[in-house]
Amino acid sequence: MFKSDRIKRCIAVGVTAFLVIAAGIILFFVIYRFNDVQNALNTLGEILTPITYGLVMAYLLNPVYNFFQGRLEKLFARRKGKNVSKRALKASKALSITITLILALVAVTGLLSMVIPQVIDSIFGIVESLPSNLARLSATLEETLKSYPELDDTAMNLYNNLTAMLDQWIKNDLMPQLNSLVRTLSSGIFGAVNLLKNIVIGVIICVHVLSSKITFCGQVKKMMYAVLPTPKANLLLDNVRYTHRVFGGYISGKLLDSLIVGLICFAFMATFNLPYAMLVSIVMGVTNIIPFFGPFIGAIPSILLIFLVDVRSAVIFAAFILVLQQIDGNIIEPKILGDSIGLSSFWVIVAIVVCGGLFGFVGMVIGAPAFAVGYSLVGMALDRSLRKHNLPIELDTYIDLDHMEEESGQPVAKKED
């Protein structure tokens, strides 16, 4: 018996040593051939693009599918007979997927048909009207500064420098990029076909995932309990459910909140006849998806854009955005999201800065819920470790803690000076 245990320990040590050496070799190879590894990952990402599209579509459409599938299954199941539950399930799945895809197609097509033409017109309108807007703004500033002659030279020099920089940016950067974009859209047949192929394959994958998600979940659970001990499998399953609850609730809630903000912004701008209503509303809605920094990222360039057309309109819009963000932050968003991520503002800022720097816009959107999941999982792991050592898990215990009694494990508070 002793010899058998010794052999097992030797095997465990050998396997561990082998894995450590293999991991070291792989890490050295990744660092030494980083560019090749990066190119390989980019190629793999391009290959997996349609699968990614399909999984994202399925995840976003899953609530809509569940809504129709549950009700249609009950409707079909009212008929009694042999195997009626299987027939009802198949019929409800097929019809629910069809309705979900039709609704998604109608929503996307309608949104794009309304938004894209107005956005294009707004962009080219900005470029065409910019010289006249700048001239009018210059005249307004000159009239205003006549009452303050001591500021006249400084303000006009600053204005001339800014307009010169803006003019150079439009001529050297913006217009060539717009022309390049137009040429790419008009001549990029291969890119359009490739995008269409990825979308079509993504839709097919989305259909299969929605129709077979119960089977897929069962297979994953079976594999988990086959590979892991039961307690660890249960813990992993709870963590996956928690991650889904945080991500699903946050993403769907944030999208709805941003849609409401964009619609309110458009309604206000259209009512008061403010310029570039559609373009600015889209910018405000899209950037609102980003926590904390989003409203500022969208509001500042929008105010500057309106300022070039009309100073009074810019002031009205700036005041409206301040009121809207107060309403959204204190009423709309809490009602929709609640405390879905449970992070303090400090950790939200850290998550956005880090994830945004690593993954761009997508990182800024999913950084907060991803960080919240990691934060919660680490917290639960720490609580389990404390329980094993028979130590308290309440945070208040450690705020005024001086030390723990080694024998009893009881907390001793700091003494007041």
Side-chain angles (χ1 to χ4, degrees):
M1 185 69 179
F2 176 75
K3 186 176 181 180
S4 176
D5 293 339
R6 194 174 173 186
I7 292 174
K8 289 181 179 179
R9 283 198 299 270
C10 290
I11 293 175
V13 171
V15 171
T16 303
F18 172 77
L19 292 176
V20 170
I21 295 172
I25 294 173
I26 293 173
L27 180 62
F28 173 78
F29 177 79
V30 169
I31 296 174
Y32 183 69
R33 304 294 296 272
F34 181 76
N35 291 333
D36 295 334
V37 173
Q38 189 176 32
N39 293 333
L41 291 176
N42 291 335
T43 303
L44 180 62
E46 293 176 0
I47 295 173
L48 297 178
T49 296
I51 299 177
T52 304
Y53 284 3
L55 294 177
V56 172
M57 290 179 196
Y59 192 77
L60 294 177
L61 296 177
N62 185 57
V64 182
Y65 167 79
N66 289 338
F67 175 82
F68 288 107
Q69 197 272 331
R71 285 157 178 76
L72 290 175
E73 185 178 356
K74 292 179 181 178
L75 180 64
F76 293 149
R78 290 177 181 175
R79 296 174 55 190
K80 295 183 179 180
K82 190 176 181 180
N83 296 327
V84 68
S85 60
K86 292 184 178 180
R87 292 202 304 270
L89 182 61
K90 290 182 179 179
S92 64
K93 282 182 178 181
L95 189 55
S96 299
I97 290 174
T98 303
I99 295 174
T100 301
L101 292 179
I102 290 175
L103 289 177
L105 180 62
V106 170
V108 172
T109 303
L111 183 63
L112 293 179
S113 62
M114 289 189 300
V115 169
I116 290 180
Q118 294 195 41
V119 171
I120 293 176
D121 292 340
S122 298
I123 292 174
F124 282 98
I126 291 170
V127 175
E128 292 175 0
S129 62
L130 187 60
S132 60
N133 290 335
L134 290 175
R136 185 169 60 253
L137 180 61
S138 176
T140 303
L141 287 175
E142 289 178 358
E143 289 293 328
T144 303
L145 291 172
K146 286 181 180 179
S147 304
Y148 305 95
E150 65 276 6
L151 300 177
D152 192 0
D153 294 337
T154 303
M156 291 308 300
N157 288 333
L158 179 61
Y159 172 77
N160 291 330
N161 291 334
L162 290 176
T163 53
M165 291 172 57
L166 184 61
D167 184 63
Q168 289 295 322
W169 176 75
I170 292 173
K171 291 180 180 178
N172 299 332
D173 296 326
L174 180 60
M175 289 306 297
Q177 290 179 9
L178 288 176
N179 294 331
S180 176
L181 177 61
V182 172
R183 288 195 300 270
T184 302
L185 292 176
S186 60
S187 62
I189 299 177
F190 177 78
V193 171
N194 188 50
L195 177 62
L196 181 61
K197 179 206 72 173
N198 290 336
I199 293 176
V200 171
I201 297 176
V203 171
I204 295 173
I205 292 174
C206 173
V207 170
H208 284 282
V209 171
L210 290 176
S211 62
S212 304
K213 63 176 185 175
I214 297 177
T215 302
F216 292 154
C217 290
Q219 291 172 342
V220 172
K221 292 176 185 177
K222 180 180 179 181
M223 181 178 65
M224 286 169 50
Y225 283 99
V227 174
L228 299 174
T230 301
K232 291 185 178 181
N234 289 334
L235 178 62
L236 178 59
L237 199 57
D238 289 339
N239 291 337
V240 170
R241 289 194 181 104
Y242 173 77
T243 303
H244 167 67
R245 185 167 64 251
V246 171
F247 263 91
Y250 178 83
I251 296 298
S252 59
K254 199 62 180 174
L255 290 175
L256 178 59
D257 174 59
S258 299
L259 176 62
I260 293 173
V261 168
L263 291 175
I264 294 175
C265 184
F266 179 77
F268 177 85
M269 296 186 71
T271 302
F272 288 88
N273 198 26
L274 300 182
Y276 310 121
M278 179 62 74
L279 177 62
V280 170
S281 299
I282 293 173
V283 171
M284 292 302 302
V286 172
T287 55
N288 192 73
I289 300 175
I290 302 172
F292 198 83
F293 296 109
F296 300 101
I297 296 174
I300 292 174
S302 299
I303 293 172
L304 292 176
L305 179 62
I306 299 174
F307 181 81
L308 293 175
V309 179
D310 182 43
V311 177
R312 179 173 173 273
S313 298
V315 174
I316 294 174
F317 178 76
F320 163 72
I321 289 300
L322 289 176
V323 175
L324 177 60
Q325 290 307 317
Q326 292 299 317
I327 295 174
D328 179 51
N330 295 293
I331 299 176
I332 301 176
E333 187 172 310
K335 290 290 184 182
I336 297 175
L337 293 176
D339 192 22
S340 58
I341 57 176
L343 280 181
S344 66
S345 58
F346 171 77
W347 291 117
V348 171
I349 295 173
V350 172
I352 294 172
V353 171
V354 174
C355 295
L358 292 174
F359 306 108
F361 179 78
V362 176
M364 298 180 75
V365 173
I366 68 172
F371 198 89
V373 171
Y375 186 90
S376 178
L377 295 180
V378 170
M380 289 187 288
L382 293 175
D383 288 346
R384 287 194 299 271
S385 178
L386 289 171
R387 289 193 187 97
K388 288 181 180 179
H389 294 87
N390 295 319
L391 296 174
I393 63 173
E394 294 79 11
L395 178 61
D396 293 339
T397 304
Y398 296 89
I399 292 177
D400 296 324
L401 179 69
D402 182 74
H403 66 277
M404 289 285 185
E405 290 287 351
E406 297 183 5
E407 296 182 359
S408 63
Q410 294 299 315
V412 177
K414 290 187 292 186
K415 297 179 180 179
E416 295 183 0
D417 295 334

